[in-house]
Amino acid sequence: MKVAVCIKRVPDTEARIKIGSDGKSIDETGVKFVLNPYDEYAVEEALKLKEQAGSGEVVIIALGSDASQETIRTALAMGADRGVLLKTDAVSLDPVANAQALAGELEGGAYDLILFGKLAVDDSSQAVGTMVAELLGMPSVSAISHLQIADGKGRAEREIEGGVEVVEFQLPAVLTAEKGLNEPRYPALRGIMLAKKKPLEVKDVEVGEGGVTMGALELPAPRAGGRILGEGPDAVPALIEALRTEVKVL
Amino acid sequence: MAGVLAVLEQRDGALKKVSHEVLTAAHGVAGGLGGSVEAILVAPPGVDTDSVGAFGAEKLFVVAHEEFKLYQPEPYATAVVERAKSGGYAAVVLAATAMGKDLGPRIAARLACPLAADVTAIEANGGIKVTRPLYAGKALSELSITSAPCVISLRPNVFTAKEHPQEAVVEVVAAPGGPDAEVRARTVEVKEPESARLDVSEAAVVVSGGRGLKESDGFKLIEDLVDAFGNAAVGASRAVVDAGWRPHSDQVGQTGKTVSPQLYFAIGISGAIQHLAGMRTSKVIVAINKDKDAPIFKVADYGIVGDLFEILPRLTEEVSKARGS
Ligand SMILES: Cc1cc2nc3c(=O)[nH]c(=O)nc-3n(C[C@H](O)[C@H](O)[C@H](O)COP(=O)(O)OP(=O)(O)OC[C@H]3O[C@@H](n4cnc5c(N)ncnc54)[C@H](O)[C@@H]3O)c2cc1C
Ligand SMILES: Nc1ncnc2c1ncn2[C@@H]1O[C@H](COP(=O)(O)O)[C@@H](O)[C@H]1O
C-alpha cells in the first residue's frame, strides 16, 4: 500500500491573529505554527492502512516555504517514511494554483491512495484535495469520517446535512479526512529521534498566481456583545422580552 | 461573459431553501456585470421548480435522472461543467453545503478557474469582489477575482433570499446528462440519523450545550428547549462530542460545523476560540453560564449568569408560552 499525504503548515488554532503592516497578510511574530489538524487525521489513516496491509510506504508532501520542513518532520515522527517539500516562497490565494502544483508532484507516483485533510484551517477553502483528484482524473470522496478498504475497493462515509452519505469507490483514489475518522497518534520520543534521519527531499516549484488577488485583510468587527440580563431563572422573562421585541425571533 | 450560472440543490425532491439564497446572490452579481442569471438543477425527475423564476433566473436547465436522488459527484460535475462551457458565464455560484463543498472544487479544477469558497459577501461592479473569512473567521479577506469564469460558493444563511416583485417566467430546458457509464465513485445510500431533528447548519435556532451539562443525560434539557422552538437544532461543543455525549454531526466550531442561525444559544459552554469560530456569525447569541467571566459573554448579545439546571426548565416553559400565544 503506497500512500501519499499532503500536509500544510498552519497557525495553531489557539493563535491570536494580528494583521501585518501590509494590510494583506497576518503578522507572524509570536504565532505558533502546527500541522493542520485535519491533516493529522490523514497521516494517521495512512499509517493505519500501511500497517493493515503489512507493507508499503507513506510519503508526506507539503507545498510551502522552508519552514514547512519542521511540519513534515512532525508527520515523519508519527511514523511516515519520507517527505517531499515543494519549496515556494508563497502559496497562491487561489486553491486551483496550489492543487496544480501538488498534482504535478503526485502524478506518476503510483500511489494507491492520496490523502488530504478536509480543510486547511488558515485559508479554509476545503478544496485542494478534491481539485487534485480532478486534475489527476482520480475518483475522490471528501470529508470522510469512516473508511474501509478491501480488494482494491473502498467504502467511505461522509456527513451531510441531516444524514451520512455512503460512497463506494475504486482504488487508486483521493480522500480527504474529517474529524472522527480516527484518533491521531502522538509522536513518541523514539519517533521524533527516528524522524530526524528520515529522507526529506526539497524541490523548488513554481506556483501559478491563480485568478485571485488580496485587496485587504481585516479583523472582523467585534460583536457588540456583553449584555448580562441578570442572574438565575428570574432573568428569563427579560430574555424572552428581548428576543420578542428587540430581535423578533420569537 | 456577463451571465451567471446558479447551481441549485434539492433534497427529498424539493428545492433547498439555500438555493433561493444562491439565486438571489447570483442575481446581484449578474446585475453588477450587466448580465442575466441561468440556473442548473441536477436532480431526480419531478422537483418543483416553480419558485426559480421569482428569484431572478431567466432559464433553468434540468438534468433529471432517478439516480440523482443522491448526490453523485462525477456526473453532477460533468453536467455543470458542460453547461458552464456552453454558456460562457462569468461566474458559477453555488452554496457551500456538503454538496457544494465537494462540487465547487471539481468544477473549478475542470474549468481550471479560480474558486472562492464559503464567501460571506459579494460585490459585482464590472468585476467581482468577495469577502472570505480566513483563520476560522479571525480575519476577513477582501479578494478580487481577476479571471473569468470563476466559481463562488456561498456560506448558507448569510445571504438573504429576496423574491422579485414581478413574476418572471422561467424557461425550463431539459439538459443532457446521466449517471456515469464507468463509475469510479458512487453514492450508494444516505443513512438518516436516529432522531429526525434539524441539522445545526440549517436550523433557524441552534441550542448548543457544553461540558456544563455534566453528562449526556443533561442534553435532555437542551432537547426540551429545541422542541419548544420547533425550528431548532441541538448543537454541541467539542468537549462533549469528544466525551461521546453527542455525535460529531452536532459539533459547532473550528473542527465542527460553521453555523449562522437567527438565534444561537451557548449553554454551559465557556466560549473557547475554536468554538467561537463556528458560531460568531450568528445573528443573535444568547449565553447561559454560571461563570460571569466566561469568555462566551464577550460575544453574546444577551447573557444570563447562573446554574443552567435551574434556568433551562424556566426558559423552555417561557418559550413554549411565547410560541403558543
Ligand atoms: C485543534 C482544535 C480544534 C478544536 N475545535 C473545536 C470545535 O470545533 N468546537 C469546540 O467547541 N471546541 C473545539 N476545540 C476545543 C476548545 O478549545 C474547548 O476545549 C471546548 O470548546 C470546551 O468545551 P466546553 O465549553 O463545553 O467546556 P468547558 O470549557 O469546560 O466549559 C464548560 C462551561 O460550562 C460552565 N458551567 C459548568 N457548570 C455549569 C452550570 N451548572 N450552569 C451553567 N454553566 C455551567 C462553566 O462555567 C464553563 O464555562 C478545539 C480545540 C483544538 C485544540
Ligand atoms: N500548501 C499545501 N501543501 C500541502 N498540502 C496542502 C496545501 N494546501 C492545502 N493542502 C491540503 O489540502 C487540504 C485542504 O486544504 P484547503 O483546500 O486549502 O482548505 C489540506 O488539509 C491539506 O491536506
Side-chain angles (χ1 to χ4, degrees):
Chain A
M1 177 73 69
K2 188 175 177 192
V3 187
V5 187
C6 293
I7 63 155
K8 193 177 190 190
R9 173 181 181 264
V10 297
D12 188 354
T13 57
E14 291 282 350
R16 189 170 290 280
I17 296 296
K18 281 180 283 180
I19 307 297
S21 53
D22 62 354
K24 293 184 178 192
S25 61
I26 61 164
D27 177 355
E28 294 191 357
T29 36
V31 173
K32 185 181 155 210
F33 282 82
V34 297
L35 170 58
N36 181 40
Y38 289 102
D39 301 353
E40 290 183 10
Y41 301 112
V43 173
E44 175 63 34
E45 200 62 18
L47 296 173
K48 272 174 52 184
L49 288 165
K50 179 187 151 183
E51 285 158 14
Q52 275 162 22
S55 68
E57 188 183 28
V58 175
V59 183
I60 303 296
I61 300 169
L63 172 71
S65 68
D66 250 331
S68 296
Q69 287 201 35
E70 186 195 344
T71 320
I72 295 174
R73 293 277 176 212
T74 305
L76 296 179
M78 286 172 75
D81 298 294
R82 62 182 174 93
V84 180
L85 171 64
L86 304 176
K87 197 174 140 188
T88 174
D89 290 337
V91 298
S92 176
L93 289 168
D94 184 351
V96 168
N98 298 324
Q100 284 163 339
L102 287 165
E105 169 64 24
L106 289 159
E107 186 156 33
Y111 296 104
D112 299 300
L113 282 171
I114 305 176
L115 303 186
F116 292 82
K118 166 182 96 162
L119 156 157
V121 299
D122 52 357
D123 65 58
S124 312
S125 285
Q126 195 165 338
V128 169
T130 307
M131 285 177 162
V132 167
E134 290 290 337
L135 295 171
L136 297 177
M138 289 166 75
S140 68
V141 190
S142 62
I144 64 166
S145 50
H146 190 76
L147 176 66
Q148 275 171 283
I149 301 277
D151 307 325
K153 291 202 192 90
R155 189 180 165 92
E157 294 185 359
R158 58 190 301 266
E159 275 172 23
I160 62 168
E161 296 83 7
V164 174
E165 258 175 20
V166 182
V167 185
E168 290 177 353
F169 59 92
Q170 285 166 10
L171 267 51
V174 171
L175 304 168
T176 81
E178 168 67 294
K179 174 176 178 277
L181 181 60
N182 52 43
E183 244 351 287
R185 66 196 69 184
Y186 286 105
L189 191 59
R190 195 178 119 77
I192 295 169
M193 298 310 291
L194 282 174
K196 291 189 178 141
K197 299 205 188 79
K198 287 181 179 170
L200 198 173
E201 191 185 350
V202 179
K203 300 182 183 175
D204 286 313
V205 294
E206 291 286 328
V207 181
E209 206 180 304
V212 176
T213 57
M214 177 75 76
L217 189 67
E218 287 166 359
L219 296 181
R223 288 191 70 104
R227 220 177 115 194
I228 304 277
L229 295 171
E231 285 188 27
D234 293 344
V236 167
L239 175 61
I240 297 286
E241 193 52 29
L243 295 181
R244 206 204 309 256
T245 57
E246 289 176 43
V247 292
K248 302 194 171 62
V249 281
L250 267 179
Chain B
M1 294 229 274
V4 177
L5 181 65
V7 182
L8 310 184
E9 193 173 340
Q10 64 88 32
R11 182 157 82 204
D12 300 333
L15 209 60
K16 277 195 177 184
K17 174 181 146 275
V18 74
S19 290
H20 293 155
E21 297 168 17
V22 168
L23 284 164
T24 306
H27 191 261
V29 174
L33 301 177
S36 62
V37 177
E38 298 184 344
I40 182 166
L41 175 67
V42 188
V47 175
D48 180 355
T49 54
D50 286 353
S51 61
V52 171
F55 286 94
E58 294 188 358
K59 222 176 198 177
L60 171 65
F61 297 89
V62 178
V63 185
H65 195 281
E66 279 302 334
E67 177 115 336
F68 297 159
K69 266 190 192 125
L70 305 182
Y71 167 55
Q72 300 297 349
E74 293 180 18
Y76 271 54
T78 304
V80 176
V81 167
E82 289 304 308
R83 174 88 301 273
K85 283 185 179 158
S86 355
Y89 306 98
V92 177
V93 181
L94 73 173
T97 52
M99 177 186 110
K101 286 174 181 170
D102 188 82
L103 187 58
R106 292 179 192 272
I107 301 167
R110 292 196 197 179
L111 294 173
C113 77
L115 167 73
D118 206 21
V119 311
T120 53
I122 313 184
E123 200 190 303
N125 197 343
I128 300 177
K129 279 188 188 162
V130 299
T131 305
R132 289 196 65 224
L134 299 186
Y135 306 99
K138 287 183 231 169
L140 294 177
S141 63
E142 205 176 275
L143 304 169
S144 298
I145 296 178
T146 56
S147 70
C150 63
V151 178
I152 302 174
S153 71
L154 312 178
R155 179 172 292 187
N157 289 329
V158 170
F159 295 82
T160 313
K162 259 205 290 298
E163 278 188 59
H164 299 283
Q166 54 291 49
E167 180 73 20
V169 183
V170 59
E171 184 191 343
V172 180
V173 184
D180 269 1
E182 207 182 296
V183 195
R184 301 172 310 158
R186 182 164 173 271
T187 309
V188 291
E189 64 167 314
V190 171
K191 294 197 227 169
E192 307 283 337
E194 287 126 50
S195 71
R197 284 184 209 284
L198 285 172
D199 190 86
V200 270
S201 64
E202 294 183 320
V205 179
V206 173
V207 185
S208 287
R211 195 145 38 195
L213 284 142
K214 298 277 185 295
E215 52 177 340
S216 88
D217 272 356
F219 271 84
K220 291 214 180 82
L221 291 173
I222 299 282
E223 286 171 0
D224 289 345
L225 182 55
V226 161
D227 291 340
F229 274 106
N231 52 349
V234 179
S237 72
R238 174 163 174 172
V240 305
V241 170
D242 286 353
W245 302 354
R246 300 298 303 181
H248 177 249
S249 53
D250 287 357
Q251 185 183 317
V252 172
Q254 186 146 22
T255 45
K257 289 185 176 145
T258 305
V259 302
S260 304
Q262 294 294 316
L263 177 57
Y264 186 89
F265 284 91
I267 299 175
I269 291 179
S270 58
I273 195 159
Q274 297 95 346
H275 188 79
L276 302 184
M279 43 66 83
R280 63 179 310 146
T281 53
S282 304
K283 309 282 179 316
V284 177
I285 298 172
V286 176
I288 300 176
N289 198 301
K290 69 175 182 191
D291 173 8
K292 68 172 186 4
D293 297 320
I296 192 71
F297 286 125
K298 293 213 177 69
V299 299
D301 298 281
Y302 303 106
I304 299 182
V305 179
D307 184 358
L308 66 90
F309 294 98
E310 290 172 16
I311 297 166
L312 273 182
R314 176 81 184 271
L315 179 56
T316 299
E317 189 189 316
E318 296 281 344
V319 168
S320 301
K321 258 198 255 162
R323 285 184 43 91
S325 60

